[in-house]
Amino acid sequence: MKRGCELEPKLYQFRNCRLLRDGELIKDDLWVRAGKIINPRKVFWEEQVRADVQIDCNNLIISPGFIDLQINGGFGVDFSSDPDKLEEGLKTVAKGLLQHGVTSYCPTIVTSSQESYSEISKKIKRTPGGVDGAEILGSHLEGPFINPAMKGAHKEHLMRQISTKGAQEIEEFYGSLDHVSIITLAPELAGENMEAIRQLVKRNIVVSIGHSAANLSIAEKAAANGATFITHLFNAMLPFHHRDPGIVGLLTDNETPKPIFYGLIADGIHTHPTATRIAHRSHPRGLVLVTDAIAALGLPPGLHKLGPMQVEINHEKATLLGTNTLAGSIASMDVCIQRFKKMSGCTTVEALEGATLHPAQVLRIEHKKGTLNYESDADLVFLDDDLNVHATCIAGEPVWLKKGGLVTGVMQLNYSMIPNKSTKHMR
């Protein structure tokens, strides 16, 4: 098929930008066609054509789209409440996340009744992203197989033990694991041989350690049997102790067979800046920024829902009504990235990789998400030096533009008004 045919995808060239690629910010152009990042050498030497559309990025940073592995809801929607309205709620959140640079996410369900899980699991399915919202990468089930001693904001009476049936019992409880990407459980409940963890890993489900009173020995055993993630490090687990560092010890543990990743809520409330620096400097390549956001994300102070619980929002802090127990965050991913960079003293690249490359590695999708490598999905975020979002693209198409932003007018013009051109030879 010759270039210029109406069915031929347009070739886009993003110019005057800095790309997050291979652990650096590099000055280079980004080429996109048919929703994928492409190698310009093929364009130059084989096809010998120019771009259909050139976009001046005004020296903005182009980062891979942000990936949030733990988010309970937002914009008035709680994923763990009212299953009848969940499908519409997922659309609301997916659309709202675009302004914060999030192009894919894992809707997270907190400890709930078996009936609720069964209803909810049918309605959260892996869904492509686009102009209607961020991509759903599968659900994150946080509970009910967690330790009541480390319940956090979860309802204790809904928590369960894991019997000798292991993963079979877990699947029967949830109703289905077909669209589940992550399960958070307390490893001390998984049995002496950690069979439940091994079985879940064989199903290509990421097992995350969380809401746990496990010591380092138990955490090591869980990691040896396939657990690769830690749910919101420092929160809902034993504190670090010099004689037994507990789950936190996995960050520098020599017995762990493969790299461990850890979620960190960098809202400035859940984790002290010093603890943030300790975690990052101990294991920078394991950092995964998560929001743990609740329904109140994007809403004013007041009372909101988190599953079966009432949550009060006051001064950017979410607590269970009438208590001082933290109940998730109301910080968006772009804010978490900014605050993490400030608290940790890390580089811009390190902060961005915590929301892009590393979460993609957790889900083992780094071949298509989390990087700007050739053939990766063209999920893009355009940022200034203060890491404010100016535009978000999914599959190369703009899905959110900041009013008055540095690329807004150019993108609107180029994407909506320029027709497909005929072949344009470079020589």
Side-chain angles (χ1 to χ4, degrees):
M1 183 183 294
K2 292 183 179 180
R3 286 185 55 78
C5 175
E6 287 300 315
L7 297 179
E8 182 73 15
K10 286 183 181 179
L11 176 62
Y12 295 96
Q13 179 186 8
F14 296 92
R15 302 173 55 250
N16 188 20
C17 52
R18 290 167 289 160
L19 308 182
L20 175 60
R21 180 175 280 165
D22 297 328
E24 297 181 283
L25 286 179
I26 61 172
K27 192 80 173 177
D28 200 358
D29 294 354
L30 188 74
W31 295 75
V32 172
R33 182 165 57 198
K36 298 287 185 180
I37 298 168
I38 65 168
N39 188 338
R41 292 177 68 88
K42 181 179 179 181
V43 173
F44 294 152
W45 303 112
E46 296 180 23
E47 300 179 22
Q48 298 185 359
V49 297
R50 298 183 187 276
D52 293 294
V53 178
Q54 289 187 343
I55 296 175
D56 187 337
C57 299
N58 284 287
N59 200 39
L60 289 175
I61 295 168
I62 301 183
S63 164
F66 303 151
I67 303 170
D68 195 347
L69 300 186
Q70 186 173 7
I71 174 171
N72 308 290
F75 316 102
V77 174
D78 175 50
F79 299 139
S80 302
S81 302
D82 201 353
D84 291 339
K85 297 181 179 178
L86 180 58
E87 289 164 313
E88 194 60 37
L90 288 166
K91 294 177 183 178
T92 298
V93 174
K95 186 77 172 179
L97 290 176
L98 299 177
Q99 64 189 294
H100 301 295
V102 176
T103 55
S104 50
Y105 71 112
C106 290
T108 303
I109 311 303
V110 300
T111 297
S112 303
S113 67
Q114 185 172 6
E115 293 75 22
S116 292
Y117 275 118
S118 180
E119 282 296 308
I120 290 167
S121 63
K122 297 174 185 176
K123 297 179 179 180
I124 299 180
K125 298 180 179 180
R126 293 181 177 90
T127 307
V131 68
D132 291 328
E135 179 174 349
I136 295 177
L137 297 172
S139 60
H140 178 169
L141 304 180
E142 186 185 3
F145 303 101
I146 57 179
N147 194 322
M150 295 294 168
K151 61 185 179 182
H154 292 234
K155 286 288 188 181
E156 184 173 344
H157 74 277
L158 294 173
M159 296 176 189
R160 294 175 65 101
Q161 298 287 319
I162 302 174
S163 72
T164 54
K165 293 171 69 177
Q168 180 184 343
E169 178 194 14
I170 292 173
E171 181 166 14
E172 289 173 355
F173 178 84
Y174 290 132
S176 172
L177 297 178
D178 290 344
H179 291 271
V180 175
S181 290
I182 305 172
I183 292 178
T184 290
L185 55 77
E188 62 268 32
L189 306 183
E192 182 66 25
N193 60 5
M194 302 285 172
E195 182 65 22
I197 293 177
R198 288 204 302 274
Q199 291 172 0
L200 289 171
V201 171
K202 286 181 181 178
R203 293 285 305 269
N204 292 318
I205 292 173
V206 174
V207 175
S208 186
I209 300 170
H211 290 275
S212 167
N215 58 25
L216 179 57
S217 176
I218 293 174
E220 287 175 334
K221 189 173 291 186
N225 283 278
T228 54
F229 194 42
I230 301 172
T231 296
H232 45 52
L233 185 73
F234 299 123
N235 291 275
M237 62 185 61
L238 292 177
F240 179 90
H241 190 279
H242 61 284
R243 291 196 181 93
D244 190 335
I247 292 172
V248 178
L250 288 180
L251 271 61
T252 58
D253 188 61
N254 290 327
E255 302 300 320
T256 304
K258 51 186 171 181
I260 197 83
F261 293 91
Y262 58 95
L264 197 72
I265 309 170
D267 60 354
I269 295 171
H270 279 75
T271 307
H272 191 279
T274 297
T276 298
R277 287 191 293 274
I278 289 173
H280 182 250
R281 293 177 187 179
S282 298
H283 186 26
R285 294 186 178 181
L287 167 75
V288 176
L289 294 174
V290 297
T291 62
D292 199 24
I294 62 172
L297 170 64
L299 299 181
L303 295 179
H304 301 280
K305 292 280 287 183
L306 177 61
M309 298 161 287
Q310 285 282 320
V311 174
E312 185 174 16
I313 307 301
N314 189 17
H315 300 301
E316 294 192 347
K317 188 174 182 181
T319 57
L320 290 182
L321 182 61
T323 76
N324 289 319
T325 302
L326 291 176
S329 167
I330 56 172
S332 58
M333 181 59 81
D334 51 336
V335 169
C336 285
I337 293 169
Q338 294 164 10
R339 291 180 181 175
F340 175 77
K341 183 174 184 290
K342 182 178 180 180
M343 289 190 294
S344 68
C346 72
T347 65
T348 294
V349 168
E350 289 174 313
L352 290 174
E353 287 187 338
T356 56
L357 173 62
H358 299 168
Q361 289 173 331
V362 170
L363 295 181
R364 299 182 291 276
I365 57 172
E366 65 270 25
H367 60 287
K368 62 179 181 178
K369 302 283 187 188
T371 76
L372 299 182
N373 294 341
Y374 303 139
E375 302 306 320
S376 292
D377 294 346
D379 296 347
L380 314 171
V381 185
F382 297 76
L383 307 151
D384 59 30
D385 286 337
D386 293 324
L387 301 180
N388 298 305
V389 177
H390 285 252
T392 304
C393 292
I394 292 180
E397 298 293 328
V399 292
W400 183 84
L401 299 171
K402 179 181 179 180
K403 288 185 178 180
L406 291 176
V407 294
T408 300
V410 178
M411 275 200 181
Q412 286 178 330
L413 173 66
N414 283 327
Y415 276 86
S416 63
M417 298 181 65
I418 295 182
N420 238 347
K421 301 292 184 65
S422 59
T423 303
K424 297 169 288 299
H425 289 280
M426 298 186 69
R427 59 181 181 177

